[in-house]
Amino acid sequence: MALARLVDVHTHVYLPRYASLLRTRSAVPRILTSTTVDGKRDDRLLILEHEPSGGRPVGPQYWDREEKIKFMDQHGIDLSVVSTANPWLDFLPAPEAKQMADDLNADLEEYCSGSPELTPSLKRLYGFGLLPLVSGISTEALLETIERISKLAYLKGIIMGTRGIGNGLDDAALDPVWGALEAAGLVVFIHPHYGVDNAAWGPKDNGHVLPLALGFPFETTIATTRLILAGVFDRYPSLRVLLAHSGGALPQLSSRLASCIDHDPVVASRLKHDARWYLGKLYFDAVAYGPEELGFVSDAIARSARYETGVTASDFTLDRGLGSQRMLFGTDHPFFPPLASTQKWKSVVENLEAIEAVSGWTAAQREGVRGANALSLFNLV
Amino acid sequence: MALARLVDVHTHVYLPRYASLLRTRSAVPRILTSTTVDGKRDDRLLILEHEPSGGRPVGPQYWDREEKIKFMDQHGIDLSVVSTANPWLDFLPAPEAKQMADDLNADLEEYCSGSPELTPSLKRLYGFGLLPLVSGISTEALLETIERISKLAYLKGIIMGTRGIGNGLDDAALDPVWGALEAAGLVVFIHPHYGVDNAAWGPKDNGHVLPLALGFPFETTIATTRLILAGVFDRYPSLRVLLAHSGGALPQLSSRLASCIDHDPVVASRLKHDARWYLGKLYFDAVAYGPEELGFVSDAIARSARYETGVTASDFTLDRGLGSQRMLFGTDHPFFPPLASTQKWKSVVENLEAIEAVSGWTAAQREGVRGANALSLFNLV
């Protein structure tokens, strides 16, 4: 019997090349260095507009492989599929973005290939590469990057934001990109950065809470809904898309989405399926911090089968556990650190406890979410 | 034994006085009248900026009491608690808003008091009044309106949007309003209108789908989260707030919200409880169109007790059914009509079927959501 593995699919890096780039910048995203009153160097990361409280402390946990392994050991994580953190290359002009994507993808390959062995045939680190998804980039450049990534043994997918090449992910100009990603078998990890317009948060100071707790998941929800409405999952049925933060609010709004589509004949006629069907074709990280949330996401995936052509809703019995097969543990490291550096990370412990506490999952299904589903999704078995 | 009643808590009107106002306007919200090629009068309602497809057909279903009763009879609805539809009085200058609130509240009282009897002691229609929540209004004017509403026998609460008097519902200037509403025992129905910035929807034409399916629930989620963060539910513990569309995305994002607050000591120190605790103090309509959504909202309400002071999470067993006591059937009539006027409304049938199909609710709990909870919330028993 295979050992039960703990695999982290949502864990970020700013590789040294990227961190150096951030240090050269005078606008967000940037790393700002100052000296504290007692003469220590103080590096701060500023990635959001209107960053409160002078930015967050940034250090080797963002770029050192040893720090990543140390974090993994501390939490019993066997294998991680790491990705560059937001905002990726969004702020670069097209030629620089292309070069930086190729360089960072090569760096990440080395970061992974030089990581310790988990078994004779597995390393402890694998990665999501980057595409130069910026305004003005050519389709050829994007396809060439995908081609390069597909030749890197340790890169198993790509991470992307939601802006595409300027018009969002439902831009028809991205169709060749989806086609190439599907053909290459690369997993597409969709991750937020921009949230929604800051005016929504109002004048009161609530720190980062509103843009992170609400804005981030809203952005993922919008991007994925736009992909559904644009028919991308109809045209690229084998495309494997992993959603950050358990898909944000998409599961909870999916029946409302289906109802709104039903009442708009023009949009409805474009789609092959009920909106809820598509949720069963997606993958969701298990970064939601609560067992009820995870159970519900599992329901929303499992009920996809109710909307298969030929199924009668009244004959359908929901099996929550089936949804677990598309859910994957993640930590969001190195974000949300504990207040003291020796502590286990509460954000990690909560996500692990949530997996254990979901009602209606079998032990094997919990092991799936903890790691087996990821090993299968990334072809690491 | 009491008869099981079906009660609709989410059902809108534009009373004749309001419809007349909309006809005088040259900007949204407005009713635009034209003549069709075959000489018929064509009234169109435009309430959103960038309204697609020339607005929606508007007619007596928006203002005639007989039409409301006919709709109720068609769907077996015994009693409705009607509310003015968005955007209420948001677009009026303060003095006009105050006068219009008082007039419309008197109109709505008459609309309800003249409705048929359900029993010798119950009418079929009750209402949510309006406050003149606009920029520049005085606290005195708001309190005076609340005082008036509390003297109207058939008005059991008020409906409001999310802008308050210009700075959102977490504006400290509204504290006397929350206090007065709490003291008067009026239910506060929070309903969206603005969504989020339209730029989020991108350049593709998806009709109304994105702002309605996502923007509306996002707005409710933001407003309620801001109320939680501002400590309103700590300061006004008996305030009864009903959230439109099952609270939008709040339940699914509530553990993430709790986690983000945990990592922000300044915000955390302001609140008496874990963010998830507050969901157990709220009421949620059951307008979510799917049984899994309703079951999950019920979970999110029920788990509030896990975050009571003195409760140990590991000793807590979730009883989903308890959450049902704060959930209430609604239709969103006269929005989302069927394509043919003789049909039952799919939007209504789906919400009723969803209540029947929730896993883990008893028959009595389903009857509660269908009507008994509303009768109790509005003191109609």
Side-chain angles (χ1 to χ4, degrees), chain A residues 82-96:
Chain A
V82 303
S83 48
T84 296
N86 46 299
W88 314 286
L89 309 173
D90 288 19
F91 50 91
L92 292 176
E96 289 177 46

Side-chain angles (χ1 to χ4, degrees), chain B residues 9 35 43 55 79 156 158 250-251 281 323 352 367:
Chain B
V9 304
T35 307
D43 279 358
L79 188 151
K156 297 297 180 182
I158 57 138
L250 182 65
K281 308 300 145 193
L352 284 172
E367 282 189 9

Side-chain angles (χ1 to χ4, degrees), chain A residues 170 200 202 205-206 212 218 222 226 245 248-249 252 255-256 262-263 270 288 292-293 303 306 336-337 346, chain B residues 200 202 205-206 212 218 222 226 245 248-249 252 255-256 262-263 270 288 292-293 303 306 336-337 346:
Chain A
D170 53 359
D205 180 11
N206 290 303
L212 284 183
F218 288 171
I222 295 167
R226 286 172 57 180
H245 314 116
Q252 202 184 346
S255 289
R256 180 172 173 86
D262 268 353
H263 288 84
R270 266 198 241 143
E292 290 75 24
E293 284 84 351
R303 77 174 172 192
R306 189 191 286 150
F336 304 104
K346 189 176 179 195
Chain B
D205 180 11
N206 290 303
L212 284 183
F218 288 171
I222 295 167
R226 286 172 58 180
H245 315 116
Q252 202 184 347
S255 289
R256 180 172 173 84
D262 268 352
H263 288 85
R270 266 198 241 144
E292 290 75 25
E293 283 84 351
R303 77 174 173 192
R306 189 191 287 151
F336 303 104
K346 189 176 179 195

Side-chain angles (χ1 to χ4, degrees), chain B residues 224-245:
Chain B
T224 311
T225 303
R226 286 172 58 180
L227 281 175
I228 292 172
L229 296 181
V232 168
F233 302 113
D234 288 328
R235 289 197 298 289
Y236 304 98
S238 301
L239 185 66
R240 297 180 302 162
V241 170
L242 169 65
L243 301 180
H245 315 116

Side-chain angles (χ1 to χ4, degrees), chain B residues 60-241:
Chain B
Q61 75 275 25
Y62 280 81
W63 42 78
D64 272 12
R65 186 168 59 202
E66 295 319 304
E67 290 289 322
K68 185 67 81 185
I69 297 286
K70 205 192 291 177
F71 166 79
M72 290 166 64
D73 288 343
Q74 190 187 5
H75 297 90
I77 297 167
D78 295 296
L79 188 151
S80 293
V81 189
V82 302
S83 49
T84 296
N86 46 298
W88 316 285
L89 309 172
D90 287 20
F91 51 91
L92 292 177
E96 288 177 45
K98 169 67 172 130
Q99 185 62 51
M100 186 57 87
D102 290 341
D103 290 345
L104 283 171
N105 291 334
D107 292 352
L108 186 59
E109 176 75 1
E110 199 198 308
Y111 174 97
C112 298
S113 68
S115 71
E117 283 186 352
L118 182 61
T119 69
S121 59
L122 280 183
K123 295 282 181 184
R124 293 194 65 187
L125 296 173
Y126 291 83
F128 290 99
L130 287 173
L131 300 185
L133 283 164
V134 297
S135 176
I137 196 79
S138 69
T139 304
E140 292 67 36
L142 291 166
L143 298 182
E144 204 270 339
T145 308
I146 293 170
E147 171 81 16
R148 278 173 185 252
I149 292 172
S150 68
K151 290 180 178 152
L152 299 175
Y154 296 94
L155 300 200
K156 297 297 180 182
I158 57 138
I159 185 168
M160 63 167 67
T162 69
R163 295 206 164 168
I165 57 172
N167 289 316
L169 300 184
D170 53 0
D171 185 346
L174 294 178
D175 269 18
V177 174
W178 303 125
L181 290 166
E182 183 186 49
L186 291 166
V187 175
V188 178
F189 184 16
I190 296 182
H191 192 289
H193 173 70
Y194 300 96
V196 294
D197 184 34
N198 281 314
W201 316 131
K204 272 187 105 84
D205 180 11
N206 290 303
H208 269 126
V209 170
L210 291 165
L212 284 183
L214 306 185
F216 265 41
F218 288 171
E219 181 185 353
T220 307
T221 306
I222 295 167
T224 311
T225 303
R226 286 172 58 180
L227 281 175
I228 292 172
L229 296 181
V232 168
F233 302 113
D234 288 328
R235 289 197 298 289
Y236 304 98
S238 301
L239 185 66
R240 297 180 302 162
V241 170

